[in-house]
Amino acid sequence: MAKSCPRTSVIVIGSGIAGLSAARKLTQCLPNCKVTILEALSRPGGRINSVEINENEFMEEGATWVHGIEDNPVHSLIKHNQVFNKYHYLIKYKFCKLNGDEVPTEHIKKYKRIYRKIKADAENIYQDGSTLQNGEKSVGEFLQKEFQRKLKDLKLTRECENTASSVFYSNSLIECCICGCNSLYDLVLNDFGEYEELGGGDLRVRGGYSQVIKELLKKLPENCVVYNSTVTEVHWKNDHIPDESSKPVRIVCENGEQFFADHVIATQSLGHLKEYGRALFKPPLPQVKLDIIDRMGYNYITKVHLRYQTPFWQDKFSRVIPLWDISPKDVVTKPSEFTKETWFRHIYDFAVHPFLSNTLEVWLSGESALHVERLENEIISDACTDLLRKFLKDPSVPKPDEILKTSWNTNPYFLGAYSYVAVGSSGEDCDGLAEPLCVENSNSVDVPRVLFAGEATHRTFYSTTHGALLSGEREAGRLISFYQCKFK
Ligand SMILES: Cc1cc2nc3c(=O)[nH]c(=O)nc-3n(C[C@H](O)[C@H](O)[C@H](O)COP(=O)(O)OP(=O)(O)OC[C@H]3O[C@@H](n4cnc5c(N)ncnc54)[C@H](O)[C@@H]3O)c2cc1C
């Protein structure tokens, strides 16, 4: 049982939600275990970061929605505080064409149903285990073909066909953001439906998503997290090198500091592993692991906040949804479609921030996201203002007083936003990434020496905060089982 556990030590790389949940579980269930978290940044939370704009008013740089209530461990961490605010603010939709003509919501709804139905058919390919008749490999191919087939059946007027295409395009842009990919043509079709949604809808956290991080930190010993410590080398077969601690894992940080432990749990983003994974581990990761890292999908997201002294929209809308003029043959953006001149055509809405009433929020994915992250704020401001004036047919729409944008994609500790199952990969790769590197001990027992957690290692909840949290607990559980301790 827990008390009879031998002394052991674990280093966790990264104080994101996966690293913190792993550390919390180890601390709770293995009393003789010393846990140290090495974090590159000067703050905890990783891709969860709520920035306080005004007193008690937060802007989420990263995770924004709590995806589901039922059995969601992230929701359980904060539910007692009543911090959630449902979609109440998304009621006043304005669907507008570039010439400013508005299309009634009722009209839009029937075309949105087409999107939903075709998307559900794509998901069902995994659920039913059905083999594909037409050999489509990507979600994009499937959606595009099925949309055109549906259009033929519906025999719409040219105008209605245009509206249906715009609505489909808009939804496929949203899907790219949800999935964190550049194009739905990059997203594998067969396993699309393996991602699991938790019941209860998507919710936002009034007092800042980082509350979750604060809750997790409360359960950790003081000084458990060592900040400003970028890990540059993980020597995981240190067995024959005599050193002060005779521990089998030696970690070297950028600042020259060294740490020794019995096990290491790596929780860096897939983007970081893609870029640095080859050089980080000594000996190198097995080829099979490197191939998985290469195959798996991971891409860019940028959030832009347009801040105004006074909200010009007053109560007129809570969301402006552009209806881009799109040919029915191009309702799903292709990977090669991005150009620096047309990045703004990937904007699918301007949404009033639910808690910052003078702020409009815009999300972009893929190459457009990376481009916007590097653009000067003035250019973003001009482009967005021009669009809003056109879509709202109102030349008096003011320029924002301030632009705040995120920088996950160029930050070396993230290099993107979240993972997806790419064409050429499969759900099995998430499990493959999670496989620990084991070393046989003198009793011929396989010791899990390097363990992997993080959102990309969760097969059905990848890309989410709850997936990341559960992955951390899973790897802590692996060590707890190894030491034959009972879970609490
Ligand atoms: C813009 C954006 C929007 C999102 N929206 C949502 C959402 O609405 N809902 C949702 O559920 N999820 C969302 N996500 C995804 C969610 O934030 C992540 O899935 C989750 O936070 C990942 O947690 P993690 O612990 O796996 O990784 P991370 O949070 O990336 O933690 C890894 C940690 O490792 C550190 N690190 C990296 N390299 C090193 C190194 N060499 N040495 C030491 N430390 C290192 C990093 O600094 C980081 O703190 C969003 C993400 C982004 C970027």
Side-chain angles (χ1 to χ4, degrees), residues 20 44 71 94 142 147 213 243 377 392-393 401 410 432 457:
L20 293 176
D71 295 327
K94 243 183 191 306
F142 183 84
F147 176 69
I213 299 301
D243 57 53
N377 282 353
L392 294 170
K393 223 185 252 182
D401 297 291
T410 45
T457 68

Side-chain angles (χ1 to χ4, degrees), residues 399-414:
K399 280 183 74 170
D401 297 291
E402 190 184 19
I403 297 269
L404 299 173
K405 63 173 193 269
T406 58
S407 56
W408 299 105
N409 313 309
T410 45
N411 184 322
Y413 306 117
F414 305 99

Side-chain angles (χ1 to χ4, degrees), residues 119-132 136-140 142 175 179 184 186-197 295-297 419-432 458-463:
K119 183 185 162 188
D121 289 346
E123 287 168 340
N124 286 339
I125 288 166
Y126 172 79
Q127 318 285 2
D128 303 345
S130 55
T131 43
L132 294 175
E136 294 105 352
K137 286 195 170 62
S138 70
V139 173
F142 183 84
E175 201 63 47
C179 299
L184 298 182
D186 296 336
L187 203 61
V188 77
L189 180 57
N190 272 343
D191 293 1
F192 184 49
E194 194 172 15
Y195 174 85
E196 262 178 57
E197 272 181 36
R295 274 200 302 269
M296 289 179 77
S419 61
Y420 64 91
V421 184
V423 170
S425 172
S426 73
E428 274 177 29
D429 281 343
C430 298
D431 290 345
H458 198 289
R459 184 155 176 171
T460 54
F461 297 146
Y462 54 84
S463 81

Side-chain angles (χ1 to χ4, degrees), residues 13-19 38-41 45-48 61-65 67 209 229-231 267-269 272 301 303 363 408 413-414 416-418 454-455 463-466 468:
I13 307 176
S15 69
I17 191 166
L38 299 178
E39 169 55 55
L41 302 178
R47 283 170 272 173
I48 298 176
E61 288 205 325
T64 307
W65 304 92
H67 294 302
Y209 217 117
S229 299
T230 301
V231 172
T267 76
Q268 300 99 313
S269 76
H272 186 82
I301 298 282
K303 287 173 75 176
W363 290 58
W408 299 105
Y413 306 117
F414 305 99
Y418 34 87
E455 55 85 12
S463 81
T464 65
T465 53
H466 54 281

